[in-house]
Amino acid sequence: MTAMEALSATLWSLAVPGMTPKALRAAVREKHPEASKKDIVRAAFYALIEARSPDDQTLDALHRFALAERIPGDEPPLTIGKRRKKKQRRAVETPVPETAVAA
């Protein structure tokens, strides 16, 4: 059994509906102290992908955990400002060349 499969099995055994991501991560680290946050999140996605569980509540709890923890908490969220309108070009009037009129 690989480390990913072991973490995945632990996540399946510990995840319960209503459990916060922080509590689930702490419970996993009690059994696997060497596991990083990144390893735990990857194992949660692995557990979801390889899931063959009839228990939809546990599946939902793992899904919420994986989605909540996939974004690093130390980076500020990306915000997009208002969209700028294109400046319209003004029509520049070209001067009409004066032609010499022969009289």
Side-chain angles (χ1 to χ4, degrees):
M1 181 181 273
T2 66
M4 182 74 66
E5 291 171 341
L7 283 171
S8 175
T10 302
L11 282 164
W12 273 113
S13 67
L14 296 174
V16 293
M19 188 175 212
T20 65
K22 187 175 181 179
L24 183 55
R25 195 172 51 247
V28 170
R29 283 204 175 133
E30 285 179 13
K31 293 192 177 202
H32 301 277
E34 75 288 346
S36 68
K37 178 180 176 181
K38 187 183 234 182
D39 293 336
I40 296 170
V41 172
R42 285 183 179 169
F45 278 111
Y46 176 82
L48 291 171
I49 292 168
E50 296 297 318
R52 305 284 189 274
S53 172
D55 183 10
D56 288 337
Q57 290 181 340
T58 304
L59 190 65
D60 288 341
L62 278 176
H63 188 253
R64 279 193 304 278
F65 169 75
L67 289 177
E69 293 296 309
R70 72 176 177 184
I71 300 172
D74 55 351
E75 293 181 16
L78 178 66
T79 56
I80 299 173
K82 291 184 179 179
R83 197 168 181 185
R84 295 182 187 173
K85 291 183 179 180
K86 282 187 175 180
K87 292 182 180 178
Q88 293 186 2
R89 293 186 180 175
R90 291 185 187 182
V92 179
E93 294 183 24
T94 56
V96 179
E98 294 180 25
T99 57
V101 181

